[in-house]
Amino acid sequence: MGLLALALLLAALGEARGDDRAGVALEEDLAAMDAANRKKGAERGRGLRVEAGGSYTAAATVSGATVSVWQEEGRVAYDTGTLALDLGGTTGQYDFSKAIRLPFGGRAPFENLTRFDAGVTLKGGLWGDVAGFVGLRGDLGFEKQADSRGLGGTALAGIVVPMGSQWAVTLGGGASVTPVDVQPVPVVGLRYEPASVPGLTANFGLPRTEVAWRGGSWWTLRATGDIESGTYRLDDDNPTVPGGTVSLFAARLGAGVDLEPAPGLCLGLGAFYALPGTMTFYRESGSRLKRYGVGGAPGGTLRLRYEF
C-alpha cells in the first residue's frame, strides 16, 4: 500500500515537475555505496559492474491513439563506499497506432528517442555518524541525431542521518536544468533494515522506493516504485514539431526477482505497471505547445548485471 501511495503521489507531482530521473539515479548510487560498504573479504574488490537490459510497455492511450514502447539500456558503473560513477544510455522505439487520431496531421510525432547520461556521487562523514553527499549528473536526449541543444544537467546535495542501528534518514535536493526549464528535484528517504528479518531492506522515499528481501544465497525479491522520465530534442526535420522538444513522464509500480547463478552475475526479471503520465511538446523557442495525458499500461523488464 505504501508503494502504491508513493506511485500515485509521483504521478500527481508529474504535472508540475517531469524530470526526476536524476533523483532516482542518485538514490541508486547511494544504495550501491551501502552495498559496497557491506562487502567483506574477496567481495570488497567487486566495485565495477556492467549492466544491460530491456523493457516493454504495452500500448497506452494518447489522445485517442495508442503507443507501445520497447527500450534497450546499457550501463557501466564503479561503486565504493564513498564514490559512485556511472555512464550509460537508453534507446526507445515508440510504436504509435491509430496515428490518424493524433493532432499531428495523422502522423506519429516520433519513432525513436535516445538518451545518454553520466553521473558522479560523493559521500563522506560530516560529524558523528552523519554523512553528506553531493551528486552531479549530465544527460543528452535526442530523436535521431545528437544535438547539443538537448543537453541537461542536475546538481544534488544532502545528508544521511542514522537513527539507531536499523533506521537512516536521507534529506536533500537540488535543481535540474533541461532544454526547456529549470526544475526542483527533492531527495527524501527512510531506510530500514530490521535485525529481526535478516536480508530485508526497505527504502521508502521520493522519487524512489524499494523493498528487497534476500531470501537465499542466490535469489532476491524486490518491489519498487519509481519514475521513468526524460526530455528529448526533436530533429529539425521532425514532421510534427521541427526542432522542438518532448518531455515524457510516468510513475511506475513494479515487482521482480534477482537470480544469482554465479558470484558477481545477476539476472533480473520483473513486471511493472506504468501509471497514467504525460507527454509534453515544446516549440523550438522553448515555449510549451501542448501536454497530452498518457494512459496507464503494464510492462516487463529483463536485466543482466555482472560485477567484477
Side-chain angles (χ1 to χ4, degrees):
M1 290 299 295
L3 286 172
L4 179 58
L6 172 69
L8 291 171
L9 174 62
L10 294 177
L13 290 175
E15 291 300 317
R17 187 188 60 255
D19 194 358
D20 281 318
R21 179 59 201 171
V24 174
L26 176 78
E27 292 278 8
E28 293 173 343
D29 283 348
L30 293 175
M33 289 177 172
D34 289 339
N37 275 327
R38 290 193 297 268
K39 290 179 180 177
K40 299 179 180 179
E43 288 189 342
R44 187 167 288 278
R46 290 193 190 134
L48 181 64
R49 56 189 168 92
V50 178
E51 298 181 4
S55 67
Y56 176 75
T57 305
T61 59
V62 184
S63 189
T66 62
V67 58
S68 59
V69 187
W70 168 257
Q71 285 189 321
E72 300 170 353
E73 180 180 2
R75 188 163 302 277
V76 177
Y78 178 72
D79 307 305
T80 71
T82 58
L83 171 69
L85 299 169
D86 70 272
L87 173 66
T90 302
T91 297
Q93 292 82 48
Y94 296 78
D95 183 13
F96 285 87
S97 298
K98 302 178 182 178
I100 191 65
R101 299 182 180 180
L102 291 170
F104 298 113
R107 295 170 294 185
F110 50 82
E111 295 180 354
N112 299 281
L113 296 175
T114 299
R115 176 173 175 150
F116 295 120
D117 64 279
V120 55
T121 302
L122 298 172
K123 180 182 176 183
L126 293 178
W127 61 85
D129 293 331
V130 177
F133 62 84
V134 175
L136 298 174
R137 301 198 64 82
D139 62 82
L140 174 65
F142 56 93
E143 183 179 5
K144 295 178 182 177
Q145 299 185 8
D147 189 326
S148 61
R149 294 174 296 177
L151 285 170
T154 304
L156 298 164
I159 59 174
V160 180
V161 183
M163 301 177 64
S165 60
Q166 301 182 81
W167 298 87
V169 175
T170 300
L171 296 172
S176 178
V177 180
T178 77
V180 292
D181 58 13
V182 179
Q183 305 165 341
V185 181
V187 178
V188 180
L190 178 64
R191 182 180 179 86
Y192 177 52
E193 294 186 65
S196 59
V197 187
L200 178 64
T201 302
N203 289 281
F204 302 100
L206 185 71
R208 178 176 179 266
T209 283
E210 178 180 86
V211 178
W213 178 55
R214 189 174 182 86
S217 61
W218 59 274
W219 61 276
T220 300
L221 297 178
R222 299 183 185 275
T224 59
D226 63 6
I227 286 174
E228 180 65 27
S229 65
T231 302
Y232 305 87
R233 191 78 183 191
L234 301 176
D235 292 342
D236 289 336
D237 60 355
N238 181 279
T240 57
V241 191
T245 300
V246 61
S247 180
L248 307 177
F249 174 92
R252 304 199 309 187
L253 185 67
V257 59
D258 292 344
L259 306 176
E260 301 176 41
L265 180 63
C266 178
L267 174 64
L269 302 171
F272 63 86
Y273 188 81
L275 295 174
T278 58
M279 179 183 296
T280 308
F281 290 89
Y282 299 85
R283 301 179 180 87
E284 186 175 8
S285 63
S287 62
R288 194 171 87 175
L289 178 62
K290 183 71 173 179
R291 170 172 288 172
Y292 299 96
V294 180
T301 61
L302 172 66
R303 186 179 301 272
L304 184 66
R305 182 179 74 244
Y306 186 73
E307 297 184 20
F308 296 90

